[in-house]
Amino acid sequence: MSSLMGRMMRMPMLISSLLVHAARHSADTEIVSKRVEGDLHRYTYRDAELRARKVAQALARLGCEAGDRVATLAWNGYRHFEIYFGASGSQLVCHTINPRLFPEQIAWIAGDAADKVLCFDLTFLPLIEKLAPSLPSIEHFVLMTDRAHMPESSKIAGLLCYEELVEAENGHYAWPEFDENTASSICYTSGTTGHPKGAVYSHRSSVLHAYAAALPDAMCLSSADSVLPVVPMFHVNAWGVPYSAPLVGARLVFPGPHLDGKSLHELFEQEQVTFSAGVPTVWLGVINHMKNHGLKLSTLRRTVIGGSACPPAMMRTLEDDFGVEVIHAWGMTELSPLGTLSKLKTKHKALPVEAQRRLLEKQGRSIYGIDMCIVGADGKSLPWDGRSSGDLLVRGGWVIDGYFGRDESPLQEVDGQLWFPTGDVATIDADGFMQITDRSKDVIKSGGEWISSIDLENIAMAHPAVLEAAAIGCHHPKWDERPLLVVVRRPGKELTREEMLAFYEGRIAKWQIPDDVVFVDEIPHTATGKMLKLKLREQFKDHRLPGV
Ligand code: AMP
């Protein structure tokens, strides 16, 4: 017997449709951007959609064809937003690169993705001038500014001006329809071992994620919101905010490179922002600035905090002192990124406030579209009792099933189904609240950015006085974690903490250099010779980093 098929229109879920919808139904809703150039830029969804069409035309004129990668090295702003839609909407792939990485890593990533065009903000001109010879796949370098801000001369041959490219087009362009499973964007994560790996999102996964992120038990976004994503557009598409905002017709406020507490607070107030999203570290800056100057937040009512664990004290301060509801969220690059958000169910409203808070401090419940399980060392799933802790695995329509250009599957079978292992260790309670209790992956997360422990160890091991070295994350009140290097000296060799730290200069980005070095007689190992990081983390859990 054959099934009866639905008689519904088959409209592919394409990213361009989000902006087309906003341009039609929220045509005069504003997008406000603090520019790298220093001023505020304002226009509307209607303007953005027209310019995104021009970007699509300009990229085609540069010779881009379906599937080509268009890289960006840019802050949150309207031009970046236009490239998101102009590139993906015309069947190209928008590859957002994290400018905080070490230059060699940026070059490696651009090469791995075989990027054809690189669009970058003025801030990064000196970096790209230096890096251009190491970017052989890039055929066109586009500086995201106007003619007036273009350098008189540049080491980059044929450097193009973004505004000139856009202005040269007429916008007579119809967004193409194609398979919704086509790649829309790529984001590399260094939160894994070895080289960074690319998560390749599809139009379908991005639109589904945009719907889910806007739901009431998630970001609860609506056309009444004025949304300021502090989380960068190079961090998993700013957690999907640039897609969810046009989906609901919310006003967008982009902070550009101005991410310090004072600038953010000014923008929250001036632009009457109602909702924001970012990692805990940025909120520390905002809270300190407000406390030091006796300031309040008059319109900001909700914020999603995630990327690393939100300290309970921060949640309380924001709620009690500034009237901002904190929605603690967990996600990953491999999950587009949202997996869980912490919102109470009706029955929890009867609990004492402290019990409610303990629930809200967890990483939260999964949104429809993401399923999760925890497994023990034997690979069998564990009960949702809030106590059993195991490896956290997820599956869903916006979870990767492999990395860009890699054949091997990261997926793991549990109870006859394939799941993505997150590298996080968690408990889940009977109401579905997940709580991260540890991390099995060997990486350090500082201020929402990854630091590879392997890179730190490889550099240390290259020092002639080092016999063995292990890099572990150590708790830090501002950055959540900072790297601590544990070193065994070679017999008979001298090595001081200062000499070891100086050895990192020029070998890795400054902010990735360990905060401290401790010398030990031996590092614990497993039976198979691997360093026992869990044991080391336990041993140094109370280590006080300098200046803390
Ligand atoms: P990324 O791919 O850079 O977004 O990093 C994802 C990883 O960050 C997760 O696998 C966790 O290890 C960590 N992470 C994200 N959100 C949280 C959170 N709310 N609490 C604890 N860890 C988190």
Side-chain angles (χ1 to χ4, degrees):
M1 263 210 308
S2 58
S3 345
L4 178 65
M5 299 308 287
R7 290 292 309 272
M8 306 304 283
M9 287 189 183
R10 294 197 180 189
M11 289 178 60
M13 289 186 194
L14 298 178
I15 281 178
S16 53
S17 69
L18 298 169
L19 192 55
V20 168
H21 173 81
R24 269 181 195 275
H25 301 279
S26 312
D28 58 0
T29 297
E30 269 188 321
I31 299 175
V32 183
S33 308
K34 192 104 178 245
R35 283 203 274 214
V36 176
E37 292 89 334
D39 56 347
L40 269 185
H41 172 272
R42 289 173 194 280
Y43 73 170
T44 63
Y45 274 120
R46 187 196 286 115
D47 305 325
E49 195 265 338
L50 172 60
R51 281 180 41 107
R53 273 186 270 140
K54 293 185 179 183
V55 169
Q57 288 179 307
L59 290 169
R61 199 176 296 282
L62 291 179
C64 290
E65 290 171 358
D68 281 346
R69 267 76 75 193
V70 176
T72 61
L73 205 64
W75 304 109
N76 292 6
Y78 68 105
R79 292 183 182 123
H80 204 174
F81 182 78
E82 291 162 2
I83 297 168
Y84 260 45
F85 289 89
S88 304
S90 60
Q91 232 171 320
L92 307 175
V93 184
C94 180
H95 172 202
T96 51
I97 305 182
N98 184 346
R100 294 185 181 133
L101 296 174
F102 200 48
E104 279 75 14
Q105 269 178 315
I106 294 180
W108 187 89
I109 288 174
D112 190 60
D115 296 328
K116 190 164 179 175
V117 178
L118 173 63
C119 305
F120 57 101
D121 270 334
L122 266 175
T123 322
F124 307 116
L125 180 59
L127 170 69
I128 299 303
E129 284 190 325
K130 253 196 250 149
L131 220 51
S134 336
L135 301 169
S137 69
I138 310 267
E139 293 174 18
H140 303 284
F141 291 89
V142 181
L143 189 53
M144 292 162 65
T145 191
D146 54 17
R147 174 52 45 199
H149 291 86
M150 287 295 284
E152 276 180 18
S153 68
S154 168
K155 290 185 203 130
I156 305 170
L159 178 65
L160 296 166
C161 168
Y162 181 84
E163 286 301 327
E164 281 186 347
L165 289 181
V166 172
E167 281 156 22
E169 301 299 337
N170 59 17
H172 296 158
Y173 178 84
W175 293 111
E177 278 209 0
F178 46 86
D179 184 341
E180 63 185 15
N181 292 300
T182 305
S184 59
S185 55
I186 303 187
C187 184
Y188 275 70
T189 175
S190 37
T192 54
T193 41
H195 273 306
K197 298 189 180 82
V200 188
Y201 311 115
S202 69
H203 283 258
R204 177 187 160 79
S205 71
S206 303
V207 173
L208 282 175
H209 180 270
Y211 268 119
L215 285 171
D217 265 2
M219 294 187 180
C220 191
L221 291 179
S222 83
S223 55
D225 277 312
S226 201
V227 179
L228 190 154
V230 183
V231 49
M233 288 167 78
F234 54 77
H235 259 182
V236 214
N237 302 323
W239 299 349
V241 169
Y243 302 132
S244 294
L247 181 143
V248 299
R251 186 166 174 270
L252 269 168
V253 182
F254 288 124
H258 311 278
L259 302 174
D260 59 288
K262 180 173 184 287
S263 306
L264 286 174
H265 181 265
E266 272 169 16
L267 207 54
F268 285 143
E269 289 299 290
Q270 268 172 29
E271 296 303 323
Q272 309 209 325
V273 171
T274 57
F275 173 84
S276 189
V279 295
T281 309
V282 297
W283 289 105
L284 274 186
V286 179
I287 291 171
N288 280 346
H289 175 72
M290 292 192 298
K291 283 196 166 163
N292 292 342
H293 296 86
L295 301 168
K296 292 279 174 206
L297 286 161
S298 43
T299 53
L300 190 72
R301 289 293 160 259
R302 305 173 336 273
T303 184
V304 167
I305 299 187
S308 52
C310 181
M314 176 177 288
M315 293 179 80
R316 282 164 199 236
T317 304
L318 280 170
E319 294 192 9
D320 297 347
D321 301 352
F322 299 101
V324 178
E325 179 197 357
V326 174
I327 305 151
H328 191 195
W330 168 89
M332 300 180 72
T333 306
E334 289 88 338
L335 265 80
S336 311
L338 285 180
T340 65
L341 297 103
S342 212
K343 287 270 187 96
L344 298 181
K345 296 180 176 178
T346 308
K347 67 177 187 184
H348 298 130
K349 305 261 160 89
L351 290 174
V353 174
E354 279 310 308
Q356 291 186 9
R357 285 190 152 155
R358 276 197 298 280
L359 277 178
L360 292 171
E361 285 161 11
K362 296 188 175 193
Q363 277 71 11
R365 297 184 284 121
S366 73
I367 336 170
Y368 167 76
I370 293 286
D371 198 3
M372 49 183 189
C373 72
I374 40 173
V375 298
D378 58 359
K380 299 238 163 62
S381 59
L382 294 169
W384 290 22
D385 56 12
R387 288 189 311 277
S388 309
S389 153
D391 288 318
L392 177 68
L393 293 96
V394 291
R395 62 197 306 270
W398 55 88
V399 179
I400 64 156
D401 68 0
Y403 291 98
F404 177 74
R406 312 228 172 186
D407 291 334
E408 66 278 16
S409 168
L411 305 186
Q412 187 180 320
E413 196 177 317
V414 181
D415 299 335
Q417 281 175 326
L418 287 175
W419 298 76
F420 175 77
T422 63
D424 289 317
V425 177
T427 60
I428 307 178
D429 71 16
D431 286 315
F433 281 83
M434 183 273 286
Q435 181 164 31
I436 304 275
T437 53
D438 202 352
R439 195 185 287 148
S440 57
K441 49 193 169 193
D442 189 9
V443 274
I444 299 159
K445 201 163 203 193
S446 171
E449 301 272 358
W450 290 113
I451 300 175
S452 158
S453 25
I454 293 183
D455 286 352
L456 295 182
E457 287 156 10
N458 287 345
I459 293 173
M461 297 291 281
H463 192 289
V466 174
L467 180 66
E468 194 170 27
I472 53 170
C474 196
H475 177 70
H476 188 284
K478 174 161 185 201
W479 304 107
D480 188 31
E481 282 180 1
R482 288 296 304 158
L484 168 70
L485 191 72
V486 184
V487 174
V488 184
R489 292 188 193 96
R490 273 187 194 284
K493 297 270 184 185
E494 298 284 313
L495 178 67
T496 64
R497 173 185 177 277
E498 286 66 32
E499 285 163 351
M500 185 72 256
L501 293 179
F503 194 66
Y504 280 94
E505 302 277 345
R507 290 185 161 89
I508 201 156
K510 262 201 158 45
W511 62 270
Q512 297 180 329
I513 297 178
D515 273 22
D516 206 0
V517 182
V518 288
F519 294 97
V520 294
D521 291 338
E522 104 183 289
I523 287 174
H525 289 94
T526 62
T528 54
K530 279 194 198 162
M531 292 191 284
L532 261 176
K533 290 288 183 76
L534 283 178
K535 193 153 180 201
L536 271 182
R537 286 210 292 267
E538 179 59 29
Q539 190 178 336
F540 290 102
K541 77 175 186 319
D542 298 323
H543 181 80
R544 275 185 84 99
L545 294 168
V548 170

